Amino acid sequence: MQARQPVMDASALTAFLRSAFPQIGEEFVVEEVAPMQVRVRLAVTERHLRPGGTVSGPSIFALADVGIYLAVLAMIGPQALAVTTNCSIDFMRKPASGRDLICEARLLKLGRVLAVGDAMIRSEGMEGVVARASLTYSIPPK
């Protein structure tokens, strides 16, 4: 049995994100799309920092959430109403200063109604994981 292939590539996902979510679309860069996974970059700017100069928890969460969302859309097509139903995130270490964050998002299960995935977030160029998240998405009926 052949694995399902993505139906949206990086440029299609980027265009969709910027169209459906113009308030945040420019912050995220889809770098790679493969079956059941994507790599997304958060272009860290001053607005993502908390006091003390580190990337804020909400910004890290947003990257994990957007990463899994885009992994789902890569496989099912542009469905703006797919929504997060659960998230568990572990903040493991402080992000490196002055570096973008990279999310490797991987779907573990893609069903008709639910998708479950893991997101590993690292500072650009660093090996250590900054955060790990598990997310579940609800897929709207056709």
Side-chain angles (χ1 to χ4, degrees), residues 11-85:
S11 62
L13 288 169
T14 298
F16 175 81
L17 191 62
R18 290 181 179 171
S19 170
F21 302 98
Q23 67 276 28
I24 60 155
E26 297 290 327
E27 296 179 12
F28 300 95
V29 178
V30 182
E31 294 188 335
E32 186 177 315
V33 177
M36 302 288 279
Q37 59 188 19
V38 299
R39 185 174 60 229
V40 182
R41 171 186 301 265
L42 172 63
V44 175
T45 64
E46 186 75 24
R47 80 180 224 92
H48 300 108
L49 303 181
R50 63 175 296 250
T54 190
V55 178
S56 71
S59 295
I60 295 170
F61 168 81
L63 177 57
D65 194 38
V66 167
I68 296 297
Y69 180 67
L70 293 175
V72 170
L73 296 188
M75 298 306 294
I76 68 171
Q79 294 194 32
L81 297 181
V83 295
T84 309
T85 60

Side-chain angles (χ1 to χ4, degrees), residues 92-103:
M92 301 167 72
R93 64 180 43 87
K94 182 179 174 180
S97 179
R99 294 182 186 230
D100 289 350
L101 291 179
I102 309 296
C103 175

